[in-house]
Amino acid sequence: MTDRHPLDLPELRPLWSAVHDRLSTGRPVSRVRSGPLDDAGREALADLLGLDRLPGTEPTIPLAGLDGAVLEACGRPVRDVVTAILGPIHDRAAERERRTGQREALWGWLAGHEVVTAQPALLEWVGHLRTNGLLDGSPDRTRGLLTAALAVLAALPAEGEPLPVLAARLLDGDSHALDDGTRLSSLVLRALAVLYGTDMPDAAEGRRALWSRAGVADDELSSSVLAVGLHLDGDGPVAKVSRICAEAGHPVSLTLAQLRSPGGFTGPAGTVHITENPSVLALALRRFGHHCPPLVCTSGWPNTAVIHLLRRLAEVGASLRYHGDFDGEGIRIAAHVLAKTGAVPWRMASEDYRAAAPRVPSGPDPGRLTPAPWDRSLVAAMAELRTAVVEEVVADLLLGDLADHRPAMA
């Protein structure tokens, strides 16, 4: 057991606490207000400072004078004395600055993460999280939770896995990590709600529906994709039915179950165009018939079957080109498709929008705008003109491009 410091007197404890607190601010200190002191404390302070009369109950003491008195009494400066009595002196100003730096670094890391930069609509999610602050005040715990959420978002849309299976695959075997009500589940769902432009669901049924929209436990039969002109090689059912429909000049609707069936397909090695709206696909089929070039429709936000087909086409060598509506939702869908499939924009630059906008001088408002990661000036142009341009307005241009990619005439 260590000996008490000779100046560690009960009657002087209010003084040492006041000095310790002021020195811990991290700011320059010239005077310290102590107290309240009882009579014994006032006498002890008068003795320490060599005063000829008792100080008040809450005296203000010059720190230099106190330091000199303490040096004379025990040979150590006042900082060493209060450290010995009450423990280390912390620099609260430096600590606040350090914590602020950690928080800023955390939010900067999140805003610059590849999952967020690929789909800038998620910056709204980042802003919400920043407003709500750190998890239990800890940057490290918050970063850990966000890292897990980003891993899940990067893997979505899922391939129809049940939620526990998805969680176990992505999150160190923890099948309960995304259970309803967990912090991680809420984080991911809020990000999905921002992406899809919906309210955060407040009931379990709504949360299940949001997971389903992101491809978790999708129905393999109701999740389907519409396409034309897919002359696929192979003996599997997808290749066969696609070829039959393409050669007959008909569209093909492929379910997720069919796309997952054995056999698969190879080719095409050329360009596959992607459109957001079925009406464009219908116009292409009407114009080109059985000579229609490969065209896949997302039908708005792509489901699991759409993403599955596009990824598979990319794997067998197809070059994917995407076009969608020039409105807020269309930009978010485009960013999602590009991020998840490796497609490149097709007539989706700011100059394309500016050229098309005069076609609809009284067009609808584009709604909520979020950045387009492939062209930072696009949303600025849309915010300036405040006119939505849907695909049907520029269908003639799209069909002109498709004409250059028609298969050779028989």
Side-chain angles (χ1 to χ4, degrees):
M1 183 174 179
T2 58
D3 295 333
R4 291 176 61 182
H5 193 278
L7 292 179
D8 185 9
L9 306 175
E11 52 269 29
L12 288 178
R13 271 298 178 113
L15 170 66
W16 304 137
S17 295
V19 173
H20 190 279
D21 184 67
R22 286 299 308 280
L23 292 177
S24 294
T25 63
R27 296 189 294 267
V29 179
S30 60
R31 305 172 74 83
V32 175
R33 185 176 181 180
S34 178
L37 300 175
D38 57 17
D39 290 343
R42 296 166 66 199
E43 291 176 4
L45 180 58
D47 289 342
L48 177 63
L49 298 177
L51 304 178
D52 55 6
R53 58 182 179 180
L54 295 179
T57 57
E58 295 185 1
T60 298
I61 306 157
L63 187 61
L66 179 61
D67 196 46
V70 168
L71 274 170
E72 185 176 342
C74 66
R76 304 294 298 174
V78 70
R79 178 179 287 270
D80 290 356
V81 170
V82 295
T83 297
I85 295 173
L86 296 174
I89 293 172
H90 301 289
D91 188 336
R92 289 198 295 269
E95 180 63 20
R96 283 193 299 271
E97 186 175 346
R98 184 185 69 82
R99 288 198 299 267
T100 298
Q102 286 182 326
R103 289 194 298 270
E104 292 302 317
L106 173 67
W107 301 127
W109 163 79
L110 179 58
H113 194 279
E114 60 184 7
V115 170
V116 177
T117 57
Q119 300 187 79
L122 286 173
L123 288 171
E124 181 181 327
W125 175 63
V126 175
H128 172 83
L129 299 179
R130 183 167 187 162
T131 299
N132 282 270
L134 302 177
L135 172 64
D136 300 331
S138 168
D140 291 339
R141 291 190 62 188
T142 304
R143 184 183 285 256
L145 188 67
L146 290 173
T147 297
L150 290 164
V152 175
L153 291 170
L156 298 178
E159 291 289 331
E161 295 170 290
L163 194 58
V165 175
L166 177 75
R169 179 169 64 86
L170 297 175
L171 302 168
D172 300 322
D174 186 356
S175 61
H176 297 290
L178 292 170
D179 282 359
D180 198 33
T182 61
R183 280 171 163 165
L184 180 57
S185 175
S186 297
L187 270 181
V188 175
L189 286 172
R190 184 168 293 281
L192 293 177
V194 167
L195 279 176
Y196 297 140
T198 66
D199 293 332
M200 179 69 176
D202 55 7
E205 182 179 359
R207 292 189 288 273
R208 286 194 298 270
L210 196 53
W211 279 119
S212 179
R213 190 171 182 181
V216 178
D218 254 355
D219 182 341
E220 287 192 329
L221 298 182
S222 62
S223 180
S224 62
V225 53
L226 191 64
V228 295
L230 292 182
H231 295 267
L232 303 177
D233 296 328
D235 296 325
V238 170
K240 289 180 178 179
V241 72
S242 296
R243 281 200 306 270
I244 291 171
C245 290
E247 290 166 2
H250 293 305
V252 62
S253 180
L254 300 169
T255 68
L256 183 59
Q258 290 172 322
L259 290 167
R260 287 176 173 167
S261 61
F265 60 84
T266 59
T271 299
V272 174
H273 289 84
I274 311 161
T275 183
E276 179 186 339
N277 298 290
S279 56
V280 177
L281 186 143
L283 290 172
L285 197 58
R286 179 185 303 171
R287 174 169 172 178
F288 302 116
H290 65 281
H291 294 293
C292 190
L295 184 63
V296 176
C297 182
T298 69
S299 298
W301 275 96
N303 59 32
T304 302
V306 174
I307 298 299
H308 186 100
L309 174 61
L310 294 176
R311 286 174 172 172
R312 186 74 185 96
L313 289 170
E315 287 172 2
V316 299
S319 175
L320 305 180
R321 302 181 67 199
Y322 178 83
H323 188 277
D325 292 336
F326 281 115
D327 60 12
E329 189 79 345
I331 298 303
R332 287 185 285 278
I333 293 173
H336 183 75
V337 173
L338 269 55
K340 298 301 181 180
T341 69
V344 297
W346 168 31
R347 289 190 180 271
M348 290 290 287
S350 58
E351 56 265 29
D352 298 311
Y353 170 73
R354 288 188 178 277
R359 296 186 175 202
V360 279
S362 300
D365 189 89
R368 179 173 68 100
L369 297 176
T370 50
W374 64 91
D375 185 347
R376 295 296 178 181
S377 61
L378 172 56
V379 170
M382 295 173 68
E384 174 191 340
L385 301 181
R386 298 308 305 182
T387 298
V389 179
V390 298
E391 282 192 297
E392 292 81 358
V393 171
V394 294
D396 59 322
L397 302 177
L398 302 180
L399 295 181
D401 291 343
L402 291 175
D404 296 332
H405 290 82
R406 285 177 296 175
M409 296 289 184

